[in-house]
């Protein structure tokens, strides 16, 4: 009987470890996506500023 309890405990510990690894992986994915999103926002802002500057220049 004691062996079953240990086995169940081991299974629970293993499940918790898998959950913790999944949380860490998702956090890393989220941080990566967040950095990519910020880089895209910066690039878009730079492109819009360049277009605004071109439109503001007098044409001759």
């Amino acid at each position: 009987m004691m062996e079953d309890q240990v086995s169940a405990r081991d299974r629970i510990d293993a499940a918790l470890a898998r959950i913790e690894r999944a949380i860490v992986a998702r956090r890393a994915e989220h941080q990566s996506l967040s950095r990519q999103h910020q880089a895209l926002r910066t690039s878009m802002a730079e492109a819009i500023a360049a277009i605004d500057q071109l439109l503001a220049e007098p044409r001759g």
Side-chain angles (χ1 to χ4, degrees), residues 20-35:
E20 289 172 358
R21 284 193 303 268
I23 289 169
V24 169
R26 286 188 182 228
R27 184 179 302 136
E29 290 173 11
H30 174 73
Q31 289 172 344
S32 176
L33 183 58
S34 180
R35 283 190 300 270

Side-chain angles (χ1 to χ4, degrees), residues 5-51:
Q5 290 175 346
V6 172
S7 179
R9 189 176 302 134
D10 287 344
R11 288 194 306 271
I12 291 170
D13 287 343
L16 289 173
R18 287 191 304 273
I19 291 168
E20 289 172 358
R21 284 193 303 268
I23 289 169
V24 169
R26 286 188 182 228
R27 184 179 302 136
E29 290 173 11
H30 174 73
Q31 289 172 344
S32 176
L33 183 58
S34 180
R35 283 190 300 270
Q36 291 173 9
H37 184 255
Q38 185 56 45
L40 179 59
R41 289 177 60 104
T42 299
S43 295
M44 292 297 295
E46 291 170 355
I48 290 170
I51 291 170

